[in-house]
Amino acid sequence: VTLARAVEMKHSASLIAALSHETSQLYQKADDALQSLDIKVVGKWRKYFQLKCEFYKAYAYCYQGETLLAQDKCGEAVRGLQEGVKCYEKSEALCREYASAKGLGTFARPANHLFFRKLGPVLKRTLEKCERENGMIYHQKVAYDPPILELKATYGLAAPEPYTPPALNPLWSKEVYEKMNSKMAPKPQEDKEKKDKPAELPPVKEKETPMSEKDPGNFSGCVLS
């Protein structure tokens, strides 16, 4: 929602790129957290996290390319956009794998969403524009490695207020802590019911989210309430 709102509000391309990369990292962490679990149970969710990670990474490279072009760094823009196209194509393949994957999780069709479909043509148009301008105007070398994406969006957003812990009460002195003995604390009574093996919980049935075939009539392709 934050990213779609930034696109709708026409924020700077550098801010959108940073937000996209930050969102991609969140999905990557979610996928990493499920690595040790049974693939039969979490396999579908992992595919979903992977495709979202690659999609938002492609989004980040797309808007980073616009930022670099505005800074006359056309060679870096071309390389970043090339990487963005690769990420988008990878997310398309993951969309197909996700649609055919079996397991727990809601059924969605991210490849049919306008927010997803719009990025591919935008990426290719921006790449063609940068390649054309680099060949006619800048003549800059295209690097082998893609440019580094900004790790965190630290500008254009509300900054968190620093937390200041309250001062310690003078009654809690060193002598008071030394007089405390954990062995004197009453031991909790053992509950026989807790010793028994907990019953297995049934799998949660995901609620289907209805998807409209009609595309939203806005720029980002997302419905903001």
Side-chain angles (χ1 to χ4, degrees):
V1 175
T2 303
L3 179 58
R5 184 172 179 81
V7 174
E8 285 295 323
M9 299 291 289
K10 293 182 171 56
H11 286 307
S12 64
S14 56
L15 175 59
I16 296 174
L19 287 171
S20 303
H21 182 50
E22 201 171 341
T23 306
S24 173
Q25 293 294 95
L26 291 175
Y27 280 107
Q28 181 63 60
K29 290 178 182 178
D31 180 48
D32 294 340
L34 299 181
Q35 280 186 352
S36 60
L37 302 180
D38 187 0
I39 193 67
K40 294 180 181 179
V41 179
V42 300
K44 190 169 185 177
W45 275 113
R46 288 199 62 191
K47 289 293 181 185
Y48 179 76
F49 292 148
Q50 289 167 9
L51 76 88
K52 295 289 271 188
C53 174
E54 293 298 326
F55 170 72
Y56 284 110
K57 196 185 298 182
Y59 226 100
Y61 278 118
C62 179
Y63 280 89
Q64 186 199 45
E66 293 185 11
T67 304
L68 293 172
L69 181 60
Q71 297 172 354
D72 294 332
K73 298 178 180 179
C74 199
E76 293 182 33
V78 170
R79 183 61 188 91
L81 288 162
Q82 289 174 346
E83 192 69 19
V85 171
K86 291 180 182 178
C87 293
Y88 184 77
E89 291 174 349
K90 189 174 180 180
S91 68
E92 284 183 315
L94 286 167
C95 280
R96 292 190 291 270
E97 293 177 15
Y98 170 75
S100 60
K102 296 181 180 179
L104 299 176
T106 183
F107 179 75
R109 299 181 294 275
N112 295 346
H113 199 287
L114 182 61
F115 187 62
F116 184 91
R117 299 197 325 262
K118 286 189 71 171
L119 180 60
V122 171
L123 260 172
K124 292 178 181 178
R125 283 199 305 267
T126 310
L127 175 58
E128 290 172 359
K129 176 184 176 182
C130 289
E131 288 177 336
R132 185 168 57 251
E133 293 196 10
N134 195 43
M136 297 176 63
I137 303 172
Y138 295 99
H139 306 290
Q140 295 176 0
K141 183 179 179 181
V142 178
Y144 178 78
D145 296 321
I148 298 174
L149 293 167
E150 188 168 348
L151 293 178
K152 192 171 181 63
T154 55
Y155 47 87
L157 301 174
E161 296 181 0
Y163 171 72
T164 304
L168 294 176
N169 194 299
L171 294 176
W172 294 100
S173 61
K174 182 180 179 182
E175 291 76 14
V176 173
Y177 281 108
E178 289 177 348
K179 291 178 181 178
M180 292 182 179
N181 189 351
S182 60
K183 295 180 180 179
M184 297 174 63
K187 295 182 179 180
Q189 296 181 356
E190 295 183 358
D191 193 351
K192 293 182 179 180
E193 294 181 359
K194 291 184 178 180
K195 288 185 176 181
D196 298 336
K197 186 178 179 181
E200 294 185 2
L201 295 175
V204 178
K205 186 177 181 181
E206 298 286 345
K207 185 179 179 181
E208 293 293 335
T209 304
M211 296 180 63
S212 174
E213 299 296 332
K214 186 178 179 181
D215 291 335
N218 55 5
F219 181 75
S220 67
C222 286
V223 178
L224 301 177
S225 57

